[in-house]
Amino acid sequence: DQQVKQNSPSLSVQEGRISILNCDYTNSMFDYFLWYKKYPAEGPTFLISISSIKDKNEDGRFTVFLNKSAKHLSLHIVPSQPGDSAVYFCAASAGAGGTSYGKLTFGQGTILTVHP
Amino acid sequence: DAMVIQNPRYQVTQFGKPVTLSCSQTLNHNVMYWYQQKSSQAPKLLFHYYDKDFNNEADTPDNFQSRRPNTSFCFLDIRSPGLGDAAMYLCATSRDLVERRFLYEQYFGPGTRLTVT
């Protein structure tokens, strides 16, 4: 039972254009969402996050949108750069009050390729 | 630079031969995690340590064990590796602070790719 799904295994975008990566989830208890980026031969690195009390969070070229009713979130990268080429993982957490660890449920990842 | 280090980066073991993967961190984080990631799949949490308290995920096989002798080091022991245990194993850390978001902003090592022959 995959609770976090990234239905597009790959995405190809021209440099300077917008990249939109999508993620769907099924668990209505998820209340915190994150995006991680992974380069080859490296571990995932945290990129941006959003709490369920918000519907948008922006950090420079990266914006995450959350649509709770649709159980959908997306990551927008504008403008896309060749250095953004990586695997992007969506992750979600259903942390209740008092938990002492951050259990994350990950999606399978989307390979983003930005062409010069 | 503060970081999460995993050794070795590549490990080959024989079917049924015990193997240990190691993780160390210089971040002084109190939570450490082990994930298993199979090809083209999502990373899957196996267990975590909060300081010395060990917490197993319900569906983690008994074949997988872990040790955390001190804050900096954590080990993953696979007692009798099967072919299905071939995967990338990721170690991660996080801080437990008042703001919950710090638990989720995890710092990952580069991973150890395990091959079982």
Side-chain angles (χ1 to χ4, degrees):
Chain A
D1 174 30
Q2 203 167 347
Q3 299 184 62
V4 178
K5 291 183 183 179
Q6 294 176 253
N7 290 317
S8 297
S10 63
L11 175 68
S12 184
V13 170
Q14 204 68 29
E15 181 179 8
R17 306 295 288 267
I18 184 171
S19 295
I20 300 177
L21 297 106
N22 294 302
C23 178
D24 297 296
Y25 62 96
T26 57
N27 188 341
S28 57
M29 298 300 292
F30 287 146
D31 63 353
Y32 199 85
F33 304 88
L34 306 92
W35 286 93
Y36 281 80
K37 179 168 75 172
K38 184 183 182 306
Y39 291 120
E42 296 182 13
T45 56
F46 169 73
L47 186 59
I48 192 169
S49 63
I50 188 166
S51 165
S52 60
I53 62 172
K54 295 184 176 182
D55 53 18
K56 177 182 174 181
N57 189 27
E58 198 169 347
D59 183 3
R61 297 185 297 113
F62 302 90
T63 303
V64 57
F65 295 92
L66 176 62
N67 183 333
K68 289 185 288 293
S69 60
K71 294 191 176 67
H72 177 84
L73 65 154
S74 61
L75 174 68
H76 292 211
I77 307 174
V78 183
S80 301
Q81 299 173 354
D84 296 329
S85 298
V87 180
Y88 288 80
F89 290 98
C90 167
S93 178
T99 55
S100 61
Y101 77 107
K103 176 166 183 175
L104 296 177
T105 301
F106 282 87
Q108 318 94 297
T110 296
I111 301 170
L112 173 66
T113 304
V114 180
H115 297 284
Chain B
D1 283 344
M3 56 176 55
V4 180
I5 302 161
Q6 290 189 246
N7 287 307
R9 296 292 305 274
Y10 300 90
Q11 176 75 57
V12 180
T13 190
Q14 293 177 338
F15 182 94
K17 185 175 180 181
V19 65
T20 295
L21 310 181
S22 73
C23 176
S24 64
Q25 54 132 338
T26 59
L27 299 160
N28 204 33
H29 287 175
N30 51 357
V31 193
M32 294 187 78
Y33 310 81
W34 279 105
Y35 290 85
Q36 179 192 62
Q37 185 185 16
K38 296 187 177 179
S39 182
S40 301
Q41 295 185 21
K44 179 178 174 298
L45 183 65
L46 295 172
F47 26 61
H48 79 278
Y49 273 93
Y50 182 87
D51 291 329
K52 285 193 173 290
D53 291 335
F54 175 74
N55 295 271
N56 213 18
E57 292 300 301
D59 55 355
T60 298
D62 293 339
N63 199 24
F64 291 84
Q65 305 284 320
S66 185
R67 295 169 284 135
R68 189 179 185 186
N70 54 53
T71 301
S72 301
F73 285 88
C74 196
F75 300 98
L76 170 61
D77 301 308
I78 308 176
R79 292 191 296 188
S80 182
L83 296 178
D85 296 328
M88 175 72 80
Y89 289 88
L90 295 164
C91 175
T93 70
S94 68
R95 298 170 284 181
D96 180 22
L97 297 175
V98 173
E99 276 191 70
R100 221 182 81 209
R101 68 179 177 91
F102 288 106
L103 285 174
Y104 306 129
E105 294 171 12
Q106 297 178 11
Y107 293 73
F108 283 82
T112 294
R113 182 165 295 284
L114 178 69
T115 301
V116 182
T117 61

